[in-house]
Amino acid sequence: MKTLIQTISRRISETWHSPELPQRGHTYRCQCGRPVFFRNSKCLACSSPLGYEPGLGEVRALLPGPSADTWLLHGDPEDTPGVYKRCSNFSSPAGCNWLLPTGHASDLCTSCRLNRTIPDLGDPDNCRYWRAIENAKRRMVAQLIALGLPVESKVEENPERGVMFDFLRSPPEGPRVMTSHGNGLITLNVEEADDSVRERTRYDMHEPYRTLIGHFRHEIGHYYWDRLIADSPWHEKYRELFGDERADYGAALRKNYEQGPPPDWQDHFISSYASVHPWEDWAECWAHYMHLVDSLNTAMGFGLTGDDVELELDQYELKDLYDPDDRGAPRYLSLVNAWLELVTVLNEVARSMGQQDFYPFVMSRSVLRKLHFIQLVVKSEREDQDDDD
């Protein structure tokens, strides 16, 4: 089975500078032919119920199943249809539109099974926060599945190596809940779902970018460092590229808060926070790897190609990658260069609306090598999963 990177890279080579327009990414169509989107649970044109099947990576129109509260996917073979049930959080404030097989022991979907703690839903603000949080988390989880990475619940499926989430709200008297990761537990302050709170924090912290999905992608990067890098054949290579994570983390944080980032941080890191410690450098690069892949995949799914972009950029070359001799290096290089074209245009569109840049970062060659390293780690994990299957 092709990885998400292989699929996108093939589409870039075939269509980024070609009249053939792909219709993939996060673009779906109802049985009536109208476009529907990742979050949708009902077609606004024909009122068909919709559901997201994570194994297929598709939003599909639903047909009544053989028994109450079961569903078939429109377009499935009539002789061998899959029978599904909705996630039990469909009717909760989370509004989950994901499906799971009727024979599954859990009533929660792949994404919702990752939750250990949710906020008190007796508070209307918490209901609103939780829905925004779950919308972002589902998008991240869908991408992880598409990349071929292991997604297992520490709550229900893999207590030793799985991942789980606590969504907490700071009590009025304190202390403030901090977004963090530790031993497979990702904690998120639900007030990050309040746009005004998050924007004020972004401003106070002098951050160019702060979003819910950015938080999720950063923290899940810490989790995959534990799962894919620590004590693996990649570990020493990681230290050569990112630095030695055994450096005192607390001391590194104190130094950053007291002295700020090094003056040349942009030459070596994707963000100033990445310069704090090798763990944070990895997590920031992991998040940007996910940003790059998902944004480009979505843009191409809506038919945007290189022919729509009229500009000339200094493109990266194979020698700029971590491993130029890897057989997938040309594909990854085409992906990154296409991404640079895309974000250059989108930044200008944002500026024309008086908004901050869509992607307010500069990707140096040092960062490119780190992103390519992550791609090789992800590729290796997917190949290992395929061998296990």
Side-chain angles (χ1 to χ4, degrees):
M1 183 180 293
K2 290 184 180 294
T3 67
L4 180 59
I5 293 295
Q6 289 174 320
T7 301
I8 298 174
S9 298
R10 177 181 58 78
R11 287 161 52 198
I12 289 173
S13 65
E14 294 174 355
T15 65
W16 187 248
H17 289 285
S18 162
E20 298 296 326
L21 302 183
Q23 294 298 324
R24 299 193 182 102
H26 291 285
T27 58
Y28 317 97
R29 290 192 180 274
C30 177
Q31 61 180 346
C32 69
R34 295 292 294 274
V36 292
F37 303 95
F38 182 68
R39 298 183 184 181
N40 292 161
S41 58
K42 181 179 179 180
C43 176
L44 298 181
C46 71
S47 298
S48 292
L50 305 171
Y52 181 76
E53 210 290 349
L56 298 174
E58 296 179 354
V59 173
R60 299 275 285 273
L62 304 180
L63 305 173
S67 58
D69 298 322
T70 65
W71 302 92
L72 307 177
L73 301 183
H74 178 266
D76 266 10
E78 293 184 6
D79 55 341
T80 57
V83 183
Y84 297 88
K85 57 186 176 181
R86 285 197 182 275
C87 175
S88 60
N89 273 332
F90 173 70
S91 56
S92 77
C96 182
N97 68 339
W98 284 30
L99 305 169
L100 63 162
T102 53
H104 200 286
S106 177
D107 288 328
L108 294 171
C109 71
T110 302
S111 180
C112 291
R113 286 199 298 274
L114 304 180
N115 293 345
R116 187 179 75 166
T117 306
I118 63 172
D120 176 11
L121 300 182
D123 185 318
D125 284 341
N126 286 345
C127 294
R128 177 168 54 89
Y129 296 159
W130 190 39
R131 188 178 188 94
I133 287 167
E134 291 295 339
N135 281 337
K137 177 164 72 72
R138 285 192 288 270
R139 186 159 190 132
M140 178 195 68
V141 172
Q143 186 183 7
L144 295 174
I145 294 171
L147 286 169
L149 291 165
V151 180
E152 299 172 293
S153 170
K154 195 177 181 71
V155 182
E156 296 186 11
E157 298 163 332
N158 190 338
E160 294 300 320
R161 304 193 70 199
V163 63
M164 61 186 178
F165 293 86
D166 280 354
F167 299 132
L168 308 176
R169 188 172 181 180
S170 303
E173 67 279 4
R176 180 173 174 77
V177 172
M178 302 300 293
T179 296
S180 62
H181 166 267
N183 193 31
L185 170 62
I186 293 175
T187 302
L188 181 72
N189 185 339
V190 300
E191 291 174 318
E192 288 286 343
D194 187 312
D195 293 341
S196 62
V197 171
R198 191 176 62 254
E199 176 60 20
R200 183 169 62 249
T201 305
R202 187 193 70 80
Y203 179 82
D204 291 343
M205 298 291 290
H206 307 289
E207 296 174 336
Y209 171 93
R210 191 180 184 95
T211 65
L212 282 174
I213 199 165
H215 282 317
F216 277 119
R217 288 171 172 167
H218 176 98
E219 299 304 336
I220 205 72
H222 285 301
Y223 165 72
Y224 282 113
W225 188 92
D226 287 349
R227 180 132 190 191
L228 305 181
I229 300 297
D231 301 320
S232 78
W234 294 104
H235 204 153
E236 286 304 317
K237 296 177 182 178
Y238 160 84
R239 286 175 175 165
E240 292 171 2
L241 186 61
F242 289 84
D244 192 334
E245 82 287 351
R246 291 171 294 188
D248 189 302
Y249 184 77
L253 281 178
R254 287 192 297 274
K255 180 180 179 182
N256 178 70
Y257 291 136
E258 293 171 0
Q259 303 178 17
D264 62 345
W265 68 263
Q266 289 183 316
D267 296 334
H268 307 285
F269 304 98
I270 191 63
S271 68
S272 61
Y273 189 62
S275 69
V276 168
H277 188 274
W279 276 334
E280 299 303 341
D281 192 10
W282 164 270
E284 284 286 88
C285 286
W286 180 279
H288 283 258
Y289 170 81
M290 295 190 72
H291 291 336
L292 185 158
V293 173
D294 197 30
S295 297
L296 187 58
N297 190 33
T298 300
M300 294 189 68
F302 281 99
L304 182 65
T305 74
D307 291 337
D308 300 317
V309 180
E310 296 184 3
L311 54 85
E312 293 185 7
L313 297 174
D314 291 331
Q315 297 194 332
Y316 292 121
E317 302 175 13
L318 279 174
K319 65 181 182 180
D320 298 320
L321 298 179
Y322 174 77
D323 183 1
D325 296 324
D326 177 73
R327 64 181 181 178
R331 289 197 300 267
Y332 187 72
L333 184 67
S334 66
L335 185 150
V336 172
N337 283 328
W339 158 255
L340 292 175
E341 290 185 355
L342 173 66
V343 296
T344 300
V345 172
L346 292 180
N347 280 348
E348 285 300 317
V349 171
R351 293 165 191 164
S352 72
M353 290 293 293
Q355 299 293 324
Q356 65 181 29
D357 284 0
F358 168 83
Y359 187 73
F361 301 93
V362 176
M363 188 186 297
S364 68
R365 282 172 171 75
S366 293
V367 170
L368 175 62
R369 286 193 289 274
K370 294 172 184 177
L371 295 183
H372 189 221
F373 178 85
I374 290 173
Q375 159 61 12
L376 296 177
V377 172
V378 171
K379 174 185 172 185
S380 175
E381 175 63 21
R382 176 57 178 261
E383 291 173 348
D384 289 345
Q385 294 287 328
D386 288 345
D387 289 342
D388 291 341
D389 294 340

